[in-house]
Amino acid sequence: MRHVQNILKIIISLGLLGYLIYRAEPARLISVLSNITEKDGVAFLVAAFLLMLLAVFFLALRWRVLLKSYGFHLKTSQLFGFYLIGMFFNNFLPTSIGGDIMRIYKLISATDDRTSAFASVIIERLMGIAATLLMSIFALIYISQQFHDNRLLIVAVVMFLAIMVFFTLILRDRSFNIILKIFDRFTIFKIGQKFNKLFEAIHLFQEKRMVLMEVFMLSFISQFFIVSMNYLVAVAFSIPVSFGYLLMVVPISFVLTMLPSINGIGIRDLGFVGLLAQVGISTAEALTLSFLNLIIPMVISTAGGLLFMLQKNKAIPGGENVFDAKI
């Protein structure tokens, strides 16, 4: 069944991408790409790569803040390396879950604490999604009059509220205890026990809510640098779009990538084309900007692949596989 889903995702991604390239006309795409040779385009592109690295650095810093609450004082540089490894697996596996699993694997190898590893990745992942969703909600409200379609706004609001409800239920004692009792009933393979350990690790932040707020703010900062990266790419290829408008386009495109696809290919491109068309950006220009949103992280993540190869002989303490490890 999973293979069928992956095949469908590939068909959707490549089908949309092929259609958009056909609409843009390959000759026009090449023309836009050739703009890199004009007006210090290469310098702006290099700066865009550096901003993407800075965005990843703040994601690693976000992770470090959470881990300090669990009593682990890992260096930001070490977590930065873990993030690059996760990015590598995100970009070269059908889903982003592979990257998260690799980050958990690397963290377990460094701390020998499975529960904290799982909980920290889940928390910072959800907080990052929530921050981006909030940005997209404001952006969608702003442009809703142009599109006359609130479906994407509704989806973003529902997803954001779902994350907020999840944390509210886990952090409040009464609802938390009810959840523990419910999961205690799932005794097969000790599933309930494993989930409850995870919930308890998240519940720890009941008295450290400012830590969660800090994580939330660091997510905004990282997203700001990703938008800035997009703006420098636009300057590098002489694409006339404002930084303010990209503050809306990038988060909204992120929401779209949650639809079935391979690494957002096709779906993200459709979002860029549709949104940028509203300010007179051609399909070829929009696709160029969208392509670089895929290419830049992929190029950067190759460093994570190299790092993983160098560290591949290091195993989880106790020799357990992360997929079989007990939480």
Side-chain angles (χ1 to χ4, degrees):
M1 185 64 183
R2 182 175 296 178
H3 293 300
V4 174
Q5 291 176 344
N6 287 335
I7 290 171
L8 287 174
K9 287 180 180 180
I10 292 171
I11 292 172
I12 291 170
S13 291
L14 296 183
L16 280 172
L17 185 59
Y19 167 72
L20 291 171
I21 291 175
Y22 172 78
R23 254 184 66 182
E25 298 178 14
R28 290 189 180 182
L29 268 175
I30 294 171
S31 177
V32 174
L33 290 170
S34 68
N35 290 338
I36 190 69
T37 60
E38 302 175 5
K39 299 178 182 179
D40 300 318
V42 174
F44 281 111
L45 186 59
V46 170
F49 272 90
L50 293 176
L51 280 180
M52 186 64 207
L53 283 170
L54 195 56
V56 178
F57 172 80
F58 275 96
L59 292 177
L61 187 61
R62 178 182 74 180
W63 198 9
R64 183 172 181 268
V65 168
L66 282 170
L67 289 172
K68 282 176 67 177
S69 296
Y70 288 118
F72 298 113
H73 299 274
L74 278 71
K75 293 181 179 179
T76 306
S77 58
Q78 184 178 11
L79 295 173
F80 181 78
F82 292 172
Y83 241 106
L84 289 178
I85 291 171
M87 285 177 64
F88 177 78
F89 281 88
N90 279 351
N91 286 316
F92 296 100
L93 288 179
T95 71
S96 61
I97 295 175
D100 288 337
I101 289 176
M102 287 311 305
R103 288 199 294 130
I104 291 170
Y105 168 83
K106 297 303 294 183
L107 189 56
I108 292 174
S109 69
T111 64
D112 198 20
D113 188 325
R114 294 176 176 83
T115 302
S116 297
F118 274 88
S120 66
V121 170
I122 289 171
I123 292 171
E124 60 113 22
R125 184 74 147 142
L126 289 176
M127 281 294 178
I129 292 173
T132 308
L133 284 171
L134 187 59
M135 290 177 68
S136 70
I137 287 168
F138 284 115
L140 286 164
I141 291 173
Y142 182 78
I143 66 173
S144 60
Q145 294 181 346
Q146 299 179 37
F147 286 90
H148 306 290
D149 190 340
N150 292 326
R151 284 178 295 181
L152 190 56
L153 174 60
I154 292 170
V155 170
V157 170
V158 169
M159 291 177 65
F160 177 78
L161 290 177
I163 294 173
M164 293 300 102
V165 168
F166 170 78
F167 278 106
T168 300
L169 292 175
I170 296 296
L171 295 179
R172 291 192 175 186
D173 286 330
R174 184 175 180 180
S175 52
F176 172 68
N177 289 327
I178 292 173
I179 290 171
L180 291 184
K181 290 178 181 178
I182 291 173
F183 277 86
D184 276 338
R185 298 176 182 177
F186 298 96
T187 56
I188 184 170
F189 302 124
K190 298 183 179 179
I191 291 176
Q193 181 182 342
K194 293 177 180 179
F195 270 99
N196 281 345
K197 284 184 178 180
L198 188 61
F199 295 147
E200 286 167 0
I202 299 174
H203 185 70
L204 170 72
F205 290 92
Q206 182 193 42
E207 299 178 357
K208 300 180 181 181
R209 299 192 184 195
M210 288 306 298
V211 173
L212 294 180
M213 184 58 66
E214 186 178 353
V215 169
F216 197 64
M217 293 308 299
L218 286 170
S219 299
F220 274 117
I221 294 172
S222 179
Q223 190 66 218
F224 176 83
F225 282 117
I226 292 174
V227 175
S228 300
M229 178 270 288
N230 274 268
Y231 180 70
L232 288 185
V233 169
V235 174
F237 290 95
S238 303
I239 300 172
V241 60
S242 70
F243 180 83
Y245 196 72
L246 286 174
L247 274 172
M248 296 186 292
V249 172
V250 175
I252 293 172
S253 297
F254 167 81
V255 177
L256 288 172
T257 59
M258 293 182 180
L259 296 172
S261 63
I262 299 297
N263 204 15
I265 296 173
I267 300 291
R268 176 182 49 248
D269 305 310
L270 185 64
F272 268 82
V273 169
L275 291 167
L276 291 173
Q278 302 300 313
V279 290
I281 304 300
S282 70
T283 301
E285 291 171 324
L287 278 181
T288 298
L289 190 54
S290 182
F291 287 164
L292 267 295
N293 270 269
L294 175 66
I295 293 170
I296 290 176
M298 285 187 74
V299 171
I300 288 173
S301 73
T302 57
L306 178 61
L307 187 60
F308 177 75
M309 291 298 294
L310 292 173
Q311 299 176 350
K312 67 178 182 178
N313 292 327
K314 293 184 179 181
I316 295 177
E320 287 185 272
N321 186 292
V322 70
F323 300 99
D324 301 321
K326 296 179 182 179
I327 297 177

